[in-house]
Amino acid sequence: MGKVIAGTTMSLDGFINDRNGSLSRLYPDLEALRETELLQEEMRTTGAAVMGRRAYDLAEGDLTGYEFQVPIFVLTHLVPEQAARGQNEKLTITFVTNGIESAIAQAKAAAGDKDVMVIGGANTAQQCIRARLVDELRIGIVPVLLGEGLRFFEHLSSEQLELEKTKIMESPGRTDIVFRVVK
């Protein structure tokens, strides 16, 4: 069985977007990011993804050309009326309205032996972390200081989460660190 992996890219001071919600300084070259060892590995080993509704909305309902060509389970309170564009025999969209546990369970079933990638925002990842559903955290650090914005690890309880560093990868413009969640 694959792992449940949550991750993000953040500034050196811990923000995943700036005070205006922009990601541009964290992703100055998306094409270069697609060529990194980490993203190439993730695309090979991911069997399904759980996405937050905000991340889905950022794509404006169009996942054409999305790097993860796998079933995607969008965690939401309200299913959009219009179907997402870009779906095909590999990339399907399922809206999940009954909580993170259900979204992860459905994604695991779809992924089979491959990993489930939790993508798209702090809130969805925080829900997974609080529910102890995450097996691995992958954090990309970009050498910029945003000063303020949204923090990935904000709003988590003071419960201790024990992590073991398993891998560090250097790419142009970023450092990726992989942590195993000790259970």
Side-chain angles (χ1 to χ4, degrees):
M1 169 140 317
K3 301 174 283 208
V4 175
I5 301 167
T8 194
T9 297
M10 67 177 61
S11 64
L12 188 57
D13 53 350
F15 296 102
I16 63 171
N17 62 31
D18 68 17
R19 68 174 171 223
N20 299 316
S22 175
L23 308 169
S24 62
R25 291 188 58 205
L26 297 175
Y27 300 99
D29 187 349
L30 287 174
E31 286 309 311
L33 177 61
R34 289 176 195 245
E35 299 303 318
T36 63
E37 175 187 340
L38 182 64
L39 190 54
Q40 290 296 311
E41 175 187 335
E42 287 174 351
M43 290 186 322
R44 282 190 306 275
T45 61
T46 297
V50 172
M51 177 184 280
R53 176 62 189 264
R54 285 188 189 147
Y56 174 81
D57 288 344
L58 281 174
E60 298 176 346
D62 188 358
L63 296 171
T64 304
Y66 191 63
E67 56 265 13
F68 291 107
Q69 294 291 302
V70 297
I72 297 176
F73 298 84
V74 179
L75 186 63
T76 186
H77 294 291
L78 185 62
V79 176
E81 291 181 21
Q82 193 170 20
R85 294 180 308 281
Q87 295 188 72
N88 56 51
E89 64 280 348
K90 292 180 184 176
L91 190 154
T92 58
I93 305 293
T94 302
F95 293 96
V96 180
T97 59
N98 57 341
I100 193 65
E101 290 86 356
S102 177
I104 293 293
Q106 290 179 60
K108 281 182 166 183
D113 290 339
K114 290 190 166 191
D115 296 333
V116 171
M117 186 64 62
V118 179
I119 51 180
N123 187 291
T124 303
Q126 289 168 4
Q127 288 180 57
C128 285
I129 292 168
R130 279 193 297 271
R132 302 272 183 202
L133 298 170
V134 175
D135 299 306
E136 191 172 277
L137 287 172
R138 294 183 179 179
I139 307 299
I141 300 172
V142 178
V144 298
L145 299 173
L146 296 179
E148 56 186 319
L150 178 63
R151 289 188 186 275
F152 186 71
F153 293 112
E154 201 160 28
H155 307 299
L156 291 174
S157 69
S158 61
E159 283 183 40
Q160 182 144 355
L161 184 66
E162 188 177 344
L163 303 172
E164 175 188 334
K165 180 180 61 181
T166 60
K167 192 175 195 179
I168 297 176
M169 290 173 283
E170 295 285 333
S171 301
R174 64 185 290 130
T175 301
D176 290 284
I177 308 170
V178 179
F179 299 94
R180 181 178 71 83
V181 177
V182 178
K183 295 186 177 185

PDB file of all heavy atoms in Angstrom, residues 1-5 45 47 104-116 133 135 183:
ATOM      1  N   MET A   1       0.835  -1.177   0.000  1.00  0.00           N
ATOM      2  CA  MET A   1       0.000   0.000   0.000  1.00  0.00           C
ATOM      3  C   MET A   1       0.883   1.245   0.000  1.00  0.00           C
ATOM      4  O   MET A   1       1.896   1.300   0.672  1.00  0.00           O
ATOM      5  CB  MET A   1      -0.907  -0.006   1.231  1.00  0.00           C
ATOM      6  CG  MET A   1      -1.606   1.316   1.419  1.00  0.00           C
ATOM      7  SD  MET A   1      -3.312   1.357   1.944  1.00  0.00           S
ATOM      8  CE  MET A   1      -4.139   0.134   1.045  1.00  0.00           C
ATOM      9  N   GLY A   2       0.478   2.225  -0.768  1.00  0.00           N
ATOM     10  CA  GLY A   2       1.233   3.464  -0.868  1.00  0.00           C
ATOM     11  C   GLY A   2       1.080   4.336   0.372  1.00  0.00           C
ATOM     12  O   GLY A   2       0.326   4.029   1.296  1.00  0.00           O
ATOM     13  N   LYS A   3       1.796   5.434   0.355  1.00  0.00           N
ATOM     14  CA  LYS A   3       1.788   6.389   1.468  1.00  0.00           C
ATOM     15  C   LYS A   3       0.830   7.533   1.163  1.00  0.00           C
ATOM     16  O   LYS A   3       0.533   7.817   0.007  1.00  0.00           O
ATOM     17  CB  LYS A   3       3.181   6.979   1.665  1.00  0.00           C
ATOM     18  CG  LYS A   3       4.270   5.974   1.952  1.00  0.00           C
ATOM     19  CD  LYS A   3       5.621   6.649   1.970  1.00  0.00           C
ATOM     20  CE  LYS A   3       6.021   6.884   0.538  1.00  0.00           C
ATOM     21  NZ  LYS A   3       7.382   6.933   0.209  1.00  0.00           N
ATOM     22  N   VAL A   4       0.414   8.218   2.229  1.00  0.00           N
ATOM     23  CA  VAL A   4      -0.309   9.484   2.096  1.00  0.00           C
ATOM     24  C   VAL A   4       0.726  10.571   2.332  1.00  0.00           C
ATOM     25  O   VAL A   4       1.364  10.630   3.394  1.00  0.00           O
ATOM     26  CB  VAL A   4      -1.465   9.596   3.106  1.00  0.00           C
ATOM     27  CG1 VAL A   4      -2.109  10.978   3.030  1.00  0.00           C
ATOM     28  CG2 VAL A   4      -2.496   8.499   2.860  1.00  0.00           C
ATOM     29  N   ILE A   5       0.915  11.413   1.319  1.00  0.00           N
ATOM     30  CA  ILE A   5       1.968  12.426   1.339  1.00  0.00           C
ATOM     31  C   ILE A   5       1.343  13.814   1.259  1.00  0.00           C
ATOM     32  O   ILE A   5       0.533  14.081   0.372  1.00  0.00           O
ATOM     33  CB  ILE A   5       2.931  12.225   0.151  1.00  0.00           C
ATOM     34  CG1 ILE A   5       3.555  10.837   0.222  1.00  0.00           C
ATOM     35  CG2 ILE A   5       3.995  13.318   0.122  1.00  0.00           C
ATOM     36  CD1 ILE A   5       4.268  10.417  -1.050  1.00  0.00           C
ATOM     37  N   THR A  45       5.005   7.996  -8.980  1.00  0.00           N
ATOM     38  CA  THR A  45       4.566   7.172  -7.852  1.00  0.00           C
ATOM     39  C   THR A  45       3.191   7.531  -7.296  1.00  0.00           C
ATOM     40  O   THR A  45       2.693   6.835  -6.416  1.00  0.00           O
ATOM     41  CB  THR A  45       5.597   7.251  -6.710  1.00  0.00           C
ATOM     42  OG1 THR A  45       5.708   8.607  -6.277  1.00  0.00           O
ATOM     43  CG2 THR A  45       6.953   6.717  -7.146  1.00  0.00           C
ATOM     44  N   GLY A  47      -0.763   7.675  -7.302  1.00  0.00           N
ATOM     45  CA  GLY A  47      -1.888   6.962  -7.892  1.00  0.00           C
ATOM     46  C   GLY A  47      -3.196   7.714  -7.779  1.00  0.00           C
ATOM     47  O   GLY A  47      -4.162   7.422  -8.488  1.00  0.00           O
ATOM     48  N   ILE A 104      -9.578  10.733   1.829  1.00  0.00           N
ATOM     49  CA  ILE A 104      -8.346   9.923   1.856  1.00  0.00           C
ATOM     50  C   ILE A 104      -8.673   8.453   1.581  1.00  0.00           C
ATOM     51  O   ILE A 104      -7.967   7.780   0.814  1.00  0.00           O
ATOM     52  CB  ILE A 104      -7.598  10.088   3.194  1.00  0.00           C
ATOM     53  CG1 ILE A 104      -7.061  11.514   3.343  1.00  0.00           C
ATOM     54  CG2 ILE A 104      -6.480   9.053   3.335  1.00  0.00           C
ATOM     55  CD1 ILE A 104      -5.964  11.908   2.368  1.00  0.00           C
ATOM     56  N   ALA A 105      -9.744   7.936   2.178  1.00  0.00           N
ATOM     57  CA  ALA A 105     -10.115   6.530   1.955  1.00  0.00           C
ATOM     58  C   ALA A 105     -10.424   6.277   0.475  1.00  0.00           C
ATOM     59  O   ALA A 105      -9.976   5.276  -0.098  1.00  0.00           O
ATOM     60  CB  ALA A 105     -11.309   6.157   2.824  1.00  0.00           C
ATOM     61  N   GLN A 106     -11.168   7.182  -0.149  1.00  0.00           N
ATOM     62  CA  GLN A 106     -11.494   7.022  -1.567  1.00  0.00           C
ATOM     63  C   GLN A 106     -10.224   7.115  -2.431  1.00  0.00           C
ATOM     64  O   GLN A 106     -10.060   6.356  -3.391  1.00  0.00           O
ATOM     65  CB  GLN A 106     -12.498   8.087  -2.001  1.00  0.00           C
ATOM     66  CG  GLN A 106     -13.878   7.877  -1.410  1.00  0.00           C
ATOM     67  CD  GLN A 106     -14.838   8.962  -1.843  1.00  0.00           C
ATOM     68  OE1 GLN A 106     -15.071   9.132  -3.035  1.00  0.00           O
ATOM     69  NE2 GLN A 106     -15.383   9.701  -0.878  1.00  0.00           N
ATOM     70  N   ALA A 107      -9.343   8.040  -2.081  1.00  0.00           N
ATOM     71  CA  ALA A 107      -8.098   8.194  -2.841  1.00  0.00           C
ATOM     72  C   ALA A 107      -7.215   6.962  -2.695  1.00  0.00           C
ATOM     73  O   ALA A 107      -6.620   6.501  -3.672  1.00  0.00           O
ATOM     74  CB  ALA A 107      -7.363   9.450  -2.385  1.00  0.00           C
ATOM     75  N   LYS A 108      -7.133   6.407  -1.486  1.00  0.00           N
ATOM     76  CA  LYS A 108      -6.335   5.191  -1.280  1.00  0.00           C
ATOM     77  C   LYS A 108      -6.870   4.036  -2.117  1.00  0.00           C
ATOM     78  O   LYS A 108      -6.102   3.287  -2.722  1.00  0.00           O
ATOM     79  CB  LYS A 108      -6.325   4.796   0.199  1.00  0.00           C
ATOM     80  CG  LYS A 108      -5.381   5.587   1.060  1.00  0.00           C
ATOM     81  CD  LYS A 108      -5.447   5.051   2.486  1.00  0.00           C
ATOM     82  CE  LYS A 108      -4.319   5.527   3.333  1.00  0.00           C
ATOM     83  NZ  LYS A 108      -4.367   4.938   4.687  1.00  0.00           N
ATOM     84  N   ALA A 109      -8.181   3.907  -2.150  1.00  0.00           N
ATOM     85  CA  ALA A 109      -8.784   2.832  -2.946  1.00  0.00           C
ATOM     86  C   ALA A 109      -8.462   3.013  -4.428  1.00  0.00           C
ATOM     87  O   ALA A 109      -8.150   2.052  -5.127  1.00  0.00           O
ATOM     88  CB  ALA A 109     -10.296   2.801  -2.719  1.00  0.00           C
ATOM     89  N   ALA A 110      -8.508   4.237  -4.903  1.00  0.00           N
ATOM     90  CA  ALA A 110      -8.209   4.514  -6.315  1.00  0.00           C
ATOM     91  C   ALA A 110      -6.729   4.352  -6.630  1.00  0.00           C
ATOM     92  O   ALA A 110      -6.366   3.941  -7.728  1.00  0.00           O
ATOM     93  CB  ALA A 110      -8.660   5.929  -6.674  1.00  0.00           C
ATOM     94  N   ALA A 111      -5.865   4.661  -5.658  1.00  0.00           N
ATOM     95  CA  ALA A 111      -4.414   4.636  -5.886  1.00  0.00           C
ATOM     96  C   ALA A 111      -3.841   3.225  -5.902  1.00  0.00           C
ATOM     97  O   ALA A 111      -2.762   3.005  -6.463  1.00  0.00           O
ATOM     98  CB  ALA A 111      -3.700   5.464  -4.821  1.00  0.00           C
ATOM     99  N   GLY A 112      -4.515   2.275  -5.281  1.00  0.00           N
ATOM    100  CA  GLY A 112      -3.976   0.917  -5.206  1.00  0.00           C
ATOM    101  C   GLY A 112      -2.672   0.904  -4.426  1.00  0.00           C
ATOM    102  O   GLY A 112      -2.619   1.352  -3.293  1.00  0.00           O
ATOM    103  N   ASP A 113      -1.598   0.418  -5.059  1.00  0.00           N
ATOM    104  CA  ASP A 113      -0.292   0.336  -4.403  1.00  0.00           C
ATOM    105  C   ASP A 113       0.500   1.640  -4.485  1.00  0.00           C
ATOM    106  O   ASP A 113       1.577   1.739  -3.906  1.00  0.00           O
ATOM    107  CB  ASP A 113       0.547  -0.781  -5.021  1.00  0.00           C
ATOM    108  CG  ASP A 113      -0.001  -2.158  -4.684  1.00  0.00           C
ATOM    109  OD1 ASP A 113      -0.746  -2.267  -3.693  1.00  0.00           O
ATOM    110  OD2 ASP A 113       0.303  -3.115  -5.416  1.00  0.00           O
ATOM    111  N   LYS A 114      -0.009   2.607  -5.215  1.00  0.00           N
ATOM    112  CA  LYS A 114       0.711   3.878  -5.370  1.00  0.00           C
ATOM    113  C   LYS A 114       0.351   4.841  -4.244  1.00  0.00           C
ATOM    114  O   LYS A 114      -0.543   4.590  -3.439  1.00  0.00           O
ATOM    115  CB  LYS A 114       0.410   4.489  -6.730  1.00  0.00           C
ATOM    116  CG  LYS A 114       1.042   3.720  -7.878  1.00  0.00           C
ATOM    117  CD  LYS A 114       0.915   4.492  -9.162  1.00  0.00           C
ATOM    118  CE  LYS A 114       1.825   3.898 -10.223  1.00  0.00           C
ATOM    119  NZ  LYS A 114       1.911   4.795 -11.375  1.00  0.00           N
ATOM    120  N   ASP A 115       1.049   5.986  -4.232  1.00  0.00           N
ATOM    121  CA  ASP A 115       0.859   6.985  -3.183  1.00  0.00           C
ATOM    122  C   ASP A 115      -0.356   7.859  -3.444  1.00  0.00           C
ATOM    123  O   ASP A 115      -0.794   8.034  -4.572  1.00  0.00           O
ATOM    124  CB  ASP A 115       2.089   7.902  -3.098  1.00  0.00           C
ATOM    125  CG  ASP A 115       3.348   7.156  -2.679  1.00  0.00           C
ATOM    126  OD1 ASP A 115       3.236   6.123  -1.988  1.00  0.00           O
ATOM    127  OD2 ASP A 115       4.447   7.612  -3.045  1.00  0.00           O
ATOM    128  N   VAL A 116      -0.852   8.447  -2.346  1.00  0.00           N
ATOM    129  CA  VAL A 116      -1.886   9.475  -2.402  1.00  0.00           C
ATOM    130  C   VAL A 116      -1.202  10.792  -2.080  1.00  0.00           C
ATOM    131  O   VAL A 116      -0.567  10.937  -1.030  1.00  0.00           O
ATOM    132  CB  VAL A 116      -3.017   9.208  -1.387  1.00  0.00           C
ATOM    133  CG1 VAL A 116      -3.971  10.400  -1.308  1.00  0.00           C
ATOM    134  CG2 VAL A 116      -3.760   7.927  -1.744  1.00  0.00           C
ATOM    135  N   LEU A 133      -3.496  11.198   9.326  1.00  0.00           N
ATOM    136  CA  LEU A 133      -3.607  10.435   8.086  1.00  0.00           C
ATOM    137  C   LEU A 133      -2.367  10.526   7.219  1.00  0.00           C
ATOM    138  O   LEU A 133      -2.260   9.809   6.227  1.00  0.00           O
ATOM    139  CB  LEU A 133      -4.823  10.943   7.283  1.00  0.00           C
ATOM    140  CG  LEU A 133      -6.184  10.774   7.960  1.00  0.00           C
ATOM    141  CD1 LEU A 133      -7.263  11.523   7.181  1.00  0.00           C
ATOM    142  CD2 LEU A 133      -6.529   9.303   8.099  1.00  0.00           C
ATOM    143  N   ASP A 135       1.516  10.108   6.148  1.00  0.00           N
ATOM    144  CA  ASP A 135       2.682   9.253   6.378  1.00  0.00           C
ATOM    145  C   ASP A 135       3.983   9.993   6.111  1.00  0.00           C
ATOM    146  O   ASP A 135       5.032   9.621   6.651  1.00  0.00           O
ATOM    147  CB  ASP A 135       2.633   8.029   5.448  1.00  0.00           C
ATOM    148  CG  ASP A 135       1.400   7.180   5.692  1.00  0.00           C
ATOM    149  OD1 ASP A 135       1.174   6.786   6.853  1.00  0.00           O
ATOM    150  OD2 ASP A 135       0.655   6.920   4.719  1.00  0.00           O
ATOM    151  N   LYS A 183       4.877   7.106  13.535  1.00  0.00           N
ATOM    152  CA  LYS A 183       3.566   6.744  14.130  1.00  0.00           C
ATOM    153  C   LYS A 183       3.724   5.761  15.240  1.00  0.00           C
ATOM    154  O   LYS A 183       4.635   5.038  15.352  1.00  0.00           O
ATOM    155  CB  LYS A 183       2.638   6.206  13.054  1.00  0.00           C
ATOM    156  CG  LYS A 183       2.307   7.271  12.029  1.00  0.00           C
ATOM    157  CD  LYS A 183       1.284   6.801  11.060  1.00  0.00           C
ATOM    158  CE  LYS A 183       0.955   7.943  10.104  1.00  0.00           C
ATOM    159  NZ  LYS A 183      -0.089   7.651   9.203  1.00  0.00           N
TER     160      LYS A 183
END
